[in-house]
Amino acid sequence: MAAAATMAAAARELVLRAGASDMEEEEGPLGGGPGLQEPLQIGELDITSDEFILDEVDVHIQANLEDELVKEALKTGVDLRHYSKQVELELQQIEQKSIRDYIQESENIASLHNQITACDAVLERMEQMLGAFQSDLSSISSEIRTLQEQSGAMNIRLRNRQAVRGKLGELVDGLVVPSALVTAILEAPVTEPRFLEQLQELDAKAAAVREQEARGTAACADVRGVLDRLRVKAVTKIREFILQKIYSFRKPMTNYQIPQTALLKYRFFYQFLLGNERATAKEIRDEYVETLSKIYLSYYRSYLGRLMKVQYEEVAEKDDLMGVEDTAKKDILCDLTVFLDSGPSRFFSKPSLRSRNTIFTLGTRGSVISPAELEAPILVPHTAQRGEQRYPFEALFRSQHYALLDNSCREYLFICEFFVVSGPAAHDLFHAVMGRTLSMTQKHLESYLVDCYDAIAVFLCIHIVLRFRNITAKRDVPALDRYWEQVLALLWPRFELILEMNVQSVRSTDPQRLGGLDTRPHYITRRYAEFSSALVSINQTIPNERTMQLLGQLQVEVENFVLRVAAEFSSRKEQLVFLINNYDMMLGVLMERAADDSKEVESFQQLLNARTQEFIEELLSPPFGGLVAFVKEAEALIERGQAERLRGEEARVTQLIRGFGSSWKSSVESLSQDVMRSFTNFRNGTSIIQGALTQLIQLYHRFHRVLSQPQLRALPARAELINIHHLMVELKKHKPNF
């Protein structure tokens, strides 16, 4: 039905668009038959209008002809008017059928209408109820907001009242003086714990009252009198207690460190005085400074005096220098004369040489700067005197300054903790206590150094100070830094002066005034070797460039001295023996203590190698000089291309071959004995013999190469040459073993 209606509408539209065209009616002019033409309704057209445009009509006709329904109708040849009427008839039928259907469903439609009406009534009632609910909720929301505002206001009032209550409670608690506080301050001894607790409470209340008075709190006047009386009572008791402790330091034979340590438990007493009675606090501090400064000064003056009595009786003097002539023989003769004149009692009254401090030799003296000895217990003079023990100056210096370091560190930490000071204030208070002692110790050292000529002792003291300075830095006690610098300022110039005096003594030594000379190591070079190795071994722990420079100057002067002494020998061989013995001795002593790569060791090693090589050449020259000269001349000719000149040397070569074959064994034996007699160090002599034999083998090997030249190859004496391997085997027999 819908499709038919659509077709009818489309057909009607086509008819209206086409109008009364020139299509012929098939049923005649009355309409209906085929062949009839429908009359044209000209009256409906306005041909006079300007809007009537034929072109537009053609466009509409063309568009309608392109319609799918029109194309289908034209293709099948259907009459559109007849088809239109048929469609209208179908529409009428459909309309009638629709009306009948509607009439049949009228009851249902009426029921549906009634139901819709009832639903509208229900929805209207619900709308009214929701409106009432909305109105009620609006009123409740306003009430909630009102309650919330009231609750916020109540919270603010509550917080304000709590804040006022807290501050008022603090104020009241700070101002109220409980009976327990009064009882403890008035009646309890200061050593009881409850006195200390109530004293802290009193200090807090006094601070609180001062703070409230600054704010203008009137209630402070009610408790000011009570607090002032309690404060005066507490100050009086504390003053008497602390002064009694300080006065106990003055008792003879008292270990002041015990009451000093006890005072630390009551360090709050001084803090209380400092905050409430500064005049009394200053009185106690001044009394402490005066008492302790006298105690330290008296203790160290007495200790120094007794300590110096256990020093070695024989110490270095201004004449005990490296370049001074050795008078050991003269001293023995003098002692023998005294023995003959005065008897054995006076002769043996002189102290034993075993107690004499060595001047140029380190020995065991270097142990004083070892970690174990550096912080060892201090020396007790009366114990050492009973045991007749004697010590070098550096041991006394270490004991003295370790005691000073230990007491100074303890005193500085006590001052900082008890008197509540730090930084510059702590330094000033420390020097007020220890200043006189430090000054006395420094003056004593200065007076001792004026007559001190023991360079090793002074150098050990320098390194003791350097290590003690590191210890004080680790203990975080900077108060002694200035003292260490002052002590070093005394020690370094003295050490440099003694070194310069030794340098000058070596420089001014005249070898001709030293008496008889021999090729053994000289006692001055031995002194230098021991002295230099001692300083180098000490300096390796904490290197100092200035020390190395001074040692370099001394080394130059000793090398020059050795050369001057060597020049006193008539033969070059004796000169070389003397030089080698001295260089070898100095090198051996240095290598015992100094590192192998030190500058001194390398310098003497080079000198020893150069002189050893020269001595080997000098040693081989007498027995094998002709052979050496010929080999050098022949090699020079061969190198210049003049080997033909060797033909004239056949007689000389024959003599050399036969002379070497007949005398080399005796010459080597004599050479070995001569070397072993000349050198005090057998290892060095063995090395020289081995070097000489090695050079001899090389020389004979070169001689073989020269004789292998064409010019000398036919020489009959070549058959008498000793086989090089046989020579090596024989020479090994002459190598000494030690």
Side-chain angles (χ1 to χ4, degrees):
M1 293 177 62
T6 302
M7 293 293 293
R12 187 181 298 111
E13 182 181 359
L14 290 174
V15 173
L16 292 177
R17 289 178 182 177
S21 62
D22 56 349
M23 297 178 57
E24 294 182 355
E25 295 288 343
E26 296 180 356
E27 296 183 351
L30 294 178
L36 296 179
Q37 181 178 6
E38 185 177 348
L40 179 65
Q41 299 297 328
I42 302 176
E44 297 178 1
L45 300 174
D46 186 7
I47 60 176
T48 62
S49 174
D50 295 335
E51 297 176 358
F52 185 78
I53 302 173
L54 294 179
D55 294 337
E56 294 182 1
V57 173
D58 292 337
V59 172
H60 287 299
I61 292 173
Q62 186 65 30
N64 291 328
L65 289 176
E66 294 178 356
D67 190 272
E68 295 296 331
L69 294 176
V70 175
K71 288 181 179 181
E72 183 65 27
L74 292 177
K75 187 182 294 184
T76 57
V78 178
D79 187 0
L80 296 179
R81 287 186 292 272
H82 178 71
Y83 182 74
S84 175
K85 289 179 179 181
Q86 182 180 355
V87 170
E88 288 178 358
L89 180 60
E90 292 176 356
L91 289 174
Q92 291 175 0
Q93 293 175 355
I94 292 169
E95 183 179 0
Q96 292 298 324
K97 186 177 180 180
S98 175
I99 292 171
R100 288 195 297 272
D101 292 338
Y102 184 76
I103 292 172
Q104 291 177 358
E105 300 292 333
S106 59
E107 294 180 0
N108 296 332
I109 294 173
S111 175
L112 178 63
H113 176 69
N114 293 333
Q115 293 176 2
I116 293 173
T117 303
C119 288
D120 288 341
V122 172
L123 291 174
E124 183 177 0
R125 288 196 301 274
M126 290 182 67
E127 183 179 3
Q128 293 174 358
M129 291 174 63
L130 292 174
F133 288 157
Q134 184 178 8
S135 177
D136 293 341
L137 290 174
S138 298
S139 62
I140 291 173
S141 176
S142 63
E143 291 177 0
I144 291 174
R145 284 196 296 271
T146 302
L147 292 174
Q148 187 176 4
E149 292 175 357
Q150 293 177 357
S151 176
M154 293 175 67
N155 286 333
I156 292 173
R157 289 196 296 272
L158 177 62
R159 286 196 298 270
N160 291 337
R161 290 178 181 178
Q162 289 177 344
V164 172
R165 178 182 178 182
K167 292 184 178 180
L168 187 59
E170 292 177 0
L171 177 62
V172 173
D173 291 340
L175 297 180
V176 172
V177 181
S179 59
L181 188 150
V182 176
T183 303
I185 296 299
L186 295 179
E187 300 177 0
V190 295
T191 55
E192 290 189 2
R194 66 190 183 104
F195 179 84
L196 180 60
E197 294 175 0
Q198 296 303 325
L199 183 67
Q200 294 174 343
E201 182 69 19
L202 177 62
D203 186 60
K205 289 187 178 298
V209 168
R210 287 194 297 268
E211 182 181 357
Q212 294 300 328
E213 283 180 343
R215 297 179 179 178
T217 304
C220 295
D222 297 337
V223 296
R224 166 53 67 185
V226 177
L227 291 178
D228 286 344
R229 288 192 293 274
L230 290 175
R231 179 180 59 81
V232 171
K233 183 62 176 178
V235 167
T236 302
K237 296 175 70 174
I238 291 172
R239 176 181 176 276
E240 293 177 356
F241 173 75
I242 297 179
L243 288 179
Q244 183 182 2
K245 289 289 184 183
I246 294 175
Y247 293 152
S248 67
F249 297 166
R250 303 176 180 178
K251 296 180 180 179
M253 306 300 293
T254 299
N255 186 358
Y256 65 91
Q257 295 178 1
I258 296 176
Q260 190 182 50
T261 304
L263 272 179
L264 286 178
K265 296 191 297 184
Y266 307 103
R267 53 183 174 274
F268 182 75
F269 289 175
Y270 186 80
Q271 297 179 21
F272 180 81
L273 295 178
L274 202 61
N276 296 275
E277 192 63 38
R278 286 189 171 271
T280 304
K282 184 178 183 301
E283 177 190 2
I284 289 176
R285 188 181 66 180
D286 293 344
E287 191 66 31
Y288 177 85
V289 170
E290 182 68 18
T291 300
L292 265 294
S293 63
K294 290 181 179 179
I295 290 175
Y296 280 123
L297 181 62
S298 174
Y299 169 76
Y300 276 99
R301 182 182 288 118
S302 174
Y303 182 69
L304 271 177
R306 287 179 293 180
L307 197 63
M308 296 306 293
K309 293 180 181 179
V310 297
Q311 185 184 7
Y312 281 131
E313 296 180 1
E314 296 187 13
V315 297
E317 300 177 353
K318 63 180 179 179
D319 294 330
D320 293 327
L321 300 175
M322 191 174 298
V324 175
E325 182 181 357
D326 191 2
T327 58
K329 296 181 180 180
K330 294 181 180 180
D331 292 339
I332 293 175
L333 293 176
C334 292
D335 294 339
L336 182 59
T337 303
V338 172
F339 175 74
L340 295 175
D341 294 341
S342 303
S345 60
R346 183 174 177 183
F347 178 76
F348 290 108
S349 65
K350 193 173 183 179
S352 174
L353 291 176
R354 289 180 296 177
S355 64
R356 183 174 182 175
N357 187 14
T358 55
I359 301 173
F360 302 105
T361 304
L362 183 62
T364 59
R365 298 171 66 185
S367 62
V368 74
I369 59 174
S370 64
E373 291 289 335
L374 193 65
E375 298 186 55
I378 63 174
L379 299 177
V380 181
H382 62 272
T383 303
Q385 286 178 339
R386 283 201 301 266
E388 296 184 356
Q389 295 177 342
R390 292 292 184 266
Y391 299 94
F393 175 72
E394 63 271 10
L396 308 181
F397 181 88
R398 189 228 43 108
S399 180
Q400 166 199 346
H401 281 82
Y402 185 67
L404 186 64
L405 177 148
D406 199 37
N407 285 280
S408 296
C409 290
R410 183 183 295 107
E411 185 65 32
Y412 180 80
L413 296 176
F414 174 83
I415 286 173
C416 293
E417 192 170 357
F418 186 81
F419 292 102
V420 197
V421 290
S422 61
H427 287 199
D428 295 340
L429 187 55
F430 172 81
H431 286 288
V433 175
M434 299 294 298
R436 297 168 64 185
T437 302
L438 297 177
S439 178
M440 183 271 299
T441 306
Q442 183 178 343
K443 289 180 180 178
H444 174 268
L445 176 63
E446 186 176 1
S447 63
Y448 179 84
L449 290 177
V450 171
D451 296 324
C452 178
Y453 297 92
D454 190 350
I456 294 179
V458 177
F459 197 54
L460 285 171
C461 292
I462 290 173
H463 279 263
I464 289 171
V465 172
L466 295 177
R467 285 160 174 77
F468 281 168
R469 185 170 62 180
N470 293 336
I471 292 175
T472 55
K474 291 179 181 178
R475 296 185 183 181
D476 196 20
V477 179
L480 284 175
D481 291 348
R482 186 172 62 182
Y483 174 75
W484 298 134
E485 295 299 330
Q486 292 172 348
V487 171
L488 290 175
L490 294 175
L491 292 173
W492 274 115
R494 188 62 187 179
F495 172 70
E496 294 175 0
L497 175 62
I498 299 173
L499 270 184
E500 291 174 357
M501 292 173 64
N502 280 281
V503 171
Q504 182 61 35
S505 68
V506 175
R507 182 186 298 123
S508 58
T509 300
D510 186 2
Q512 295 181 355
R513 298 177 56 186
L514 297 178
L517 299 176
D518 55 32
T519 58
R520 291 175 297 178
H522 199 273
Y523 61 86
I524 291 181
T525 58
R526 180 171 293 278
R527 290 175 183 175
Y528 164 77
E530 296 287 351
F531 182 74
S532 179
S533 64
L535 297 188
V536 169
S537 63
I538 296 171
N539 194 61
Q540 284 176 347
T541 56
I542 302 179
N544 181 268
E545 186 62 29
R546 177 59 178 162
T547 304
M548 302 310 298
Q549 293 177 359
L550 293 173
L551 283 177
Q553 297 177 10
L554 182 59
Q555 179 182 344
V556 171
E557 294 301 329
V558 170
E559 291 177 3
N560 293 336
F561 167 77
V562 172
L563 294 176
R564 292 200 304 271
V565 176
E568 296 296 319
F569 293 96
S570 58
S571 67
R572 181 58 180 169
K573 181 179 177 181
E574 290 181 337
Q575 294 176 359
L576 292 174
V577 170
F578 175 79
L579 292 174
I580 292 173
N581 277 329
N582 281 272
Y583 292 153
D584 177 66
M585 182 272 299
M586 289 188 286
L587 182 63
V589 174
L590 283 171
M591 291 182 66
E592 289 179 1
R593 297 186 180 274
D596 292 342
D597 57 349
S598 64
K599 184 171 64 175
E600 292 81 7
V601 171
E602 292 180 356
S603 175
F604 284 114
Q605 187 67 60
Q606 293 175 0
L607 291 173
L608 178 62
N609 292 339
R611 299 289 81 78
T612 300
Q613 182 60 35
E614 185 180 353
F615 176 77
I616 290 174
E617 295 177 358
E618 188 72 21
L619 191 66
L620 294 176
S621 179
F624 307 107
L627 184 63
V628 172
F630 173 76
V631 170
K632 290 181 178 179
E633 294 174 5
E635 287 177 344
L637 292 174
I638 294 171
E639 185 178 356
R640 293 196 302 266
Q642 301 175 358
E644 289 296 330
R645 295 177 58 181
L646 294 175
R647 295 186 184 276
E649 300 291 338
E650 294 179 354
R652 181 183 178 186
V653 171
T654 301
Q655 183 180 1
L656 290 175
I657 293 174
R658 293 173 179 171
F660 183 86
S662 61
S663 63
W664 71 269
K665 289 185 179 182
S666 59
S667 298
V668 169
E669 183 67 28
S670 175
L671 178 148
S672 300
Q673 294 177 0
D674 187 17
V675 169
M676 300 312 297
R677 286 194 303 268
S678 300
F679 298 102
T680 56
N681 186 350
F682 291 108
R683 291 184 179 274
N684 185 38
T686 302
S687 176
I688 292 175
I689 292 174
Q690 185 176 357
L693 297 180
T694 301
Q695 190 163 335
L696 178 60
I697 292 173
Q698 294 174 351
L699 175 65
Y700 202 67
H701 183 64
R702 291 161 59 192
F703 184 60
H704 271 255
R705 285 205 307 268
V706 171
L707 295 183
S708 64
Q709 295 295 319
Q711 293 81 3
L712 299 175
R713 193 175 299 169
L715 187 66
R718 288 187 76 253
E720 301 178 22
L721 281 173
I722 301 174
N723 184 272
I724 192 67
H725 298 289
H726 175 70
L727 180 63
M728 293 174 62
V729 172
E730 291 295 327
L731 289 179
K732 284 183 179 179
K733 298 178 182 180
H734 293 272
K735 178 181 177 182
N737 296 316
F738 296 98

